[in-house]
Amino acid sequence: MLQAGGIAGNRWLERTTTLLPDDVASSVPALKGERVTKLRRVRLINGEPVSLETTRIPLALLPAPEILEHSLYQYWAERRILPAKKKVRIKAIACQAEIVRLLNIQPGMPLLFYRQHTYNAQNGLLEYCEYLLSQ
């Protein structure tokens, strides 16, 4: 994003701790029934929304989500929590009503939907993310 000349930013929608919902647990069985940190934000380039990101993290890896302002990976690097590999699934979907408002796009516009599992070198789950990308 920055390499293309844009300025990256975000608009926080949610930074909380919560129980992992059942509908998400099927994608993250390692965290089923666990309390997790939930981050939800709109990613911006030059102040314009480009994606909606929802991330669930084991509580021990970010117990106080309100302190996170920018980069989760920078926060982790400062604590020697190092992502080593990612598993990503991508598909195209039509834009739904809530997303129209958040990303400032037309209803039904195609979006890329990413599901990402990030692991450390020992195969421990660091995060589960769902991204909706409009550009």
Side-chain angles (χ1 to χ4, degrees), residues 44-61:
L44 308 169
I45 299 296
N46 296 329
E48 295 296 319
V50 294
S51 68
L52 174 64
E53 173 187 308
T54 305
T55 304
R56 273 109 176 168
I57 303 164
L59 192 59
L61 300 178

Side-chain angles (χ1 to χ4, degrees), residues 1-124:
M1 290 183 228
L2 289 174
Q3 294 171 341
I7 298 170
N10 62 65
R11 182 172 63 239
W12 288 106
L13 303 173
E14 190 174 352
R15 288 182 280 186
T16 61
T17 61
T18 184
L19 286 174
L20 187 71
D22 289 339
D23 63 325
V24 177
S26 62
S27 296
V28 198
L31 298 178
K32 185 175 183 173
E34 297 287 324
R35 204 156 178 76
V36 297
T37 295
K38 179 181 178 184
L39 305 174
R40 192 164 190 249
R41 59 184 160 181
V42 175
R43 293 289 202 157
L44 308 169
I45 299 296
N46 296 329
E48 295 296 319
V50 294
S51 68
L52 174 64
E53 173 187 308
T54 305
T55 304
R56 273 109 176 168
I57 303 164
L59 192 59
L61 300 178
L62 183 60
E66 64 280 356
I67 67 170
L68 186 67
E69 287 299 325
H70 302 289
S71 171
L72 174 62
Y73 283 28
Q74 181 179 350
Y75 171 88
W76 280 346
E78 292 165 359
R79 288 151 183 83
R80 301 192 190 282
I81 300 169
L82 305 173
K85 66 179 179 176
K86 297 178 181 181
K87 178 180 150 188
V88 178
R89 299 179 113 189
I90 303 170
K91 67 179 179 178
I93 64 169
C95 183
Q96 298 175 347
E98 176 195 17
I99 308 309
V100 167
R101 180 182 54 79
L102 291 172
L103 296 182
N104 194 28
I105 56 178
Q106 298 297 315
M109 181 178 172
L111 299 171
L112 286 179
F113 176 63
Y114 289 72
R115 281 191 175 149
Q116 175 181 302
H117 294 78
T118 305
Y119 301 91
N120 62 21
Q122 295 75 37
N123 282 330

